[in-house]
Amino acid sequence: MKGGFYGLRGKQISLILVALVCTTVLIWGWEKTPILTSLLPPQGRLSQFSPEILMGAPTVNTIASKPHISAVTDKEVVDEVEGHHFDAGNQSDPIQISPETGKTETNVTTAPFVKKGDILEKEIEKEQKGKHSDAADRMDLEKSSPAEDRACSYAKGKWVPDDSRPLYSGLGCKQWLSSMWACHLTQRTDFAYEKLRWKPKNCAMEEFTRSKFLRRMQNKTIAFVGDSLGRQQFQSLMCMVTGGEEMPDVLDVGREYGLVKARGAIRPDGWAYRFPSTNTTILYYWSASLCDLEPLNITNPASDYAMHLDRPPAFLQRFLPNFDILVLNTGHHWNRGKFQANRWVMHVGGVPNTNRKIADVGNAKNFTIYSVVHWVNSQLPKHPGLKAFFRTISPRHFFNGDWNTGGTCDNTTPSEGKEVLQDESSDPLASGAVIGTEVTLLDITAISQLRDEGHISRYSIRATPGMQDCLHWCLPGVPDTWNELLFAQL
Ligand SMILES: *[C@@H]1O[C@H](CO)[C@@H](O)[C@H](O)[C@H]1NC(C)=O
Ligand SMILES: *[C@@H]1O[C@H](CO)[C@@H](O)[C@H](O)[C@H]1NC(C)=O
Ligand SMILES: *[C@@H]1O[C@H](CO)[C@@H](O)[C@H](O)[C@H]1NC(C)=O
Ligand SMILES: *[C@@H]1O[C@H](CO)[C@@H](O)[C@H](O)[C@H]1NC(C)=O
Ligand SMILES: *[C@@H]1O[C@H](CO)[C@@H](O)[C@H](O)[C@H]1NC(C)=O
Ligand SMILES: *[C@@H]1O[C@H](CO)[C@@H](O)[C@H](O)[C@H]1NC(C)=O
């Protein structure tokens, strides 16, 4: 072997160099060309199933296998299935509170609900000023181009301190906010968790304001359907839209949706409120499993329930045409304990389930999420105005134990980092279910995972002494951010 690099002669080397340069240019061109890129599968979709999941292993613990988030417990006292019957949300409860002194209360301005036209515009402008106290952030926002916005995932970014938070006072919003979630009404004295804002990476996220929200939602109805974490998001939105102020003119329109307290029940299956100034309705319907439940023997109060995994809740089937925005969630009720406590019997195709794979609770959950997402997707052509979201699972943070073995979430500052850098969702079931549909993923899992300090923690007014609520969030708090992400996508 003579002459040249590894036995290649000069001519060959230059040929290889030319080929290399061409390939580089081609790859670069491919990446930069929108038409070509649009032919590629969406980024982050390919890698989201871990091998374990692809093999159909029980999925109950896919989230749980990460430290401190487990989707499943047996009898989750701190959750609300039971709460559905013994109300923890009784807003007229007498509460022994000692509101802490010295805390800063946000000065919420009166919302311009009844204003129209340019007055509303001015209010909006005024609202927009004064937000984003952080000048550097503002510059970031201005820099990002529309192209970046399209590519942007709000689920990537970081938590930054922001004095414009919270968006409403934790001492206000008594009309909508359950006392069990209003941490200002408990012994808690640290409220730094209220002062963080989510800042997406490389893209601008439109700032939530009450007037913008109402104007955009004129003559529209937004419906949350899901479990107690969905109810938290609903209460959060009510507080955000009212700024936490008393709003006597807001109408209770639950009756229009059959959301009335049944005889003997402690509370209705949901709530619906209308803002008369813009004819905007915000409602919540309790459906912990997102599937249809039907008593097997209607005359027997202790009857088992057929849990039709492949049928959306009857409420959703009936009222979907009334909705303009739908936000679904489920997650924390998919475990044996809850199934037993609720006397749920899985049904598929209208008959008791015999499929052994689906009989596994984790697979049943996946099957149901797929079913409801695909059902909603199938309805979209009939309701072109409807925009549907599936909100990913809200993480739990029980450290050094679980909900019933002394697990705690006592930190007063976030202990799991500040930033989300990953492309894939931390909720593979939800993100898998929306693939190929027009249902939008409202991905809050990884974001909220960083906020272990924001739970009710030891200040739960209902839980057994020694037990902490590391599932639900203090309000104002993390669910407000879920609504900011939602608003930015409306
Ligand atoms: C969930 O269900 C869908 C549809 O049946 C299936 O394609 C997917 O593989 C399942 N995913 C898991 C994690 O089991
Ligand atoms: C709910 O509030 C009402 C009115 O104050 C009270 O009579 C009732 O006992 C409360 N229910 C529960 C479960 O605390
Ligand atoms: C709240 O803002 C209003 C109007 O700007 C002002 O008059 C009032 O003094 C403020 N209240 C507090 C507690 O800062
Ligand atoms: C309110 O909005 C609904 C559509 O969501 C419309 O049918 C109704 O006429 C509106 N009512 C008023 C008073 O504008
Ligand atoms: C809302 O509904 C009312 C009554 O139907 C109608 O007059 C008005 O134009 C609607 N507004 C919007 C923004 O759709
Ligand atoms: C339904 O429940 C009632 C009351 O418990 C009982 O009398 C009846 O036999 C049950 N019907 C069936 C079909 O099981």
Side-chain angles (χ1 to χ4, degrees), residues 8-284:
L8 298 174
R9 267 179 269 128
K11 226 181 206 168
Q12 284 170 316
I13 292 170
S14 34
L15 269 174
I16 287 168
L17 277 176
V18 166
L20 268 173
V21 168
C22 286
T23 316
T24 312
V25 166
L26 228 123
I27 289 170
W28 179 82
W30 181 274
E31 294 247 291
K32 292 285 162 194
T33 311
I35 300 160
L36 292 178
T37 313
S38 69
L39 296 173
L40 293 170
Q43 274 182 11
R45 293 296 201 206
L46 296 174
S47 57
Q48 69 197 346
F49 288 118
S50 69
E52 171 194 55
I53 294 165
L54 279 174
M55 287 163 66
T59 54
V60 184
N61 290 318
T62 36
I63 299 289
S65 60
K66 301 199 175 172
H68 318 305
I69 347 172
S70 61
V72 178
T73 61
D74 270 288
K75 242 176 157 298
E76 201 158 11
V77 177
V78 295
D79 200 349
E80 223 192 45
V81 201
E82 287 80 24
H84 195 42
H85 302 290
F86 81 83
D87 177 23
N90 196 340
Q91 310 203 359
S92 42
D93 265 0
I95 317 151
Q96 268 66 55
I97 20 151
S98 57
E100 311 66 40
T101 47
K103 84 175 69 72
T104 49
E105 218 194 306
T106 324
N107 191 350
V108 201
T109 49
T110 318
F113 297 117
V114 278
K115 302 199 177 116
K116 295 217 168 85
D118 53 1
I119 302 176
L120 190 57
E121 297 282 351
K122 266 180 209 141
E123 289 285 347
I124 290 165
E125 259 173 46
K126 217 162 59 187
E127 277 196 341
Q128 276 168 331
K129 281 180 198 160
K131 298 266 171 172
H132 274 300
S133 43
D134 186 345
D137 284 357
R138 200 159 39 230
M139 282 173 62
D140 275 7
L141 295 182
E142 280 158 9
K143 267 192 301 202
S144 52
S145 67
E148 276 173 312
D149 287 353
R150 264 199 307 280
C152 162
S153 146
Y154 296 128
K156 265 165 82 170
K158 63 181 173 191
W159 289 102
V160 296
D162 189 330
D163 274 338
S164 74
R165 296 301 190 271
L167 296 168
Y168 53 94
S169 163
L171 288 169
C173 203
K174 292 207 165 59
Q175 216 172 336
W176 324 110
L177 180 53
S178 295
S179 53
M180 59 182 170
W181 294 330
C183 290
H184 275 273
L185 304 184
T186 70
Q187 305 290 320
R188 188 161 183 158
T189 52
D190 64 290
F191 297 103
Y193 68 86
E194 290 182 345
K195 299 227 153 265
L196 294 178
R197 176 171 60 84
W198 180 250
K199 183 179 177 315
K201 191 177 166 70
N202 301 330
C203 60
M205 184 168 83
E206 189 183 1
E207 186 99 10
F208 176 93
T209 70
R210 302 151 70 177
S211 49
K212 269 198 288 179
F213 177 86
L214 283 176
R215 196 174 57 163
R216 197 169 300 172
M217 290 296 294
Q218 182 145 30
N219 291 350
K220 290 187 177 167
T221 297
I222 178 166
F224 294 92
V225 177
D227 61 20
S228 56
L229 279 307
R231 186 173 167 215
Q232 287 216 286
Q233 193 177 354
F234 159 75
Q235 292 193 359
S236 157
L237 186 62
M238 287 305 297
C239 296
M240 286 164 73
V241 176
T242 57
E245 288 164 29
E246 292 283 312
M247 284 273 149
D249 64 327
V250 173
L251 304 167
D252 181 343
V253 294
R255 194 163 287 277
E256 284 180 20
Y257 292 89
L259 300 176
V260 289
K261 202 156 79 94
R263 212 177 322 144
I266 280 158
R267 59 183 186 210
D269 284 336
W271 293 268
Y273 296 105
R274 183 164 300 141
F275 293 81
S277 56
T278 55
N279 187 24
T280 298
T281 307
I282 302 180
L283 80 80
Y284 163 75

Side-chain angles (χ1 to χ4, degrees), residues 297-301:
N297 179 350
I298 200 144
T299 57
N300 179 4

Side-chain angles (χ1 to χ4, degrees), residues 27 240 270 276 360 382-383 442:
I27 289 170
M240 286 164 73
D360 172 90
K382 275 187 262 174
H383 309 292
L442 181 58

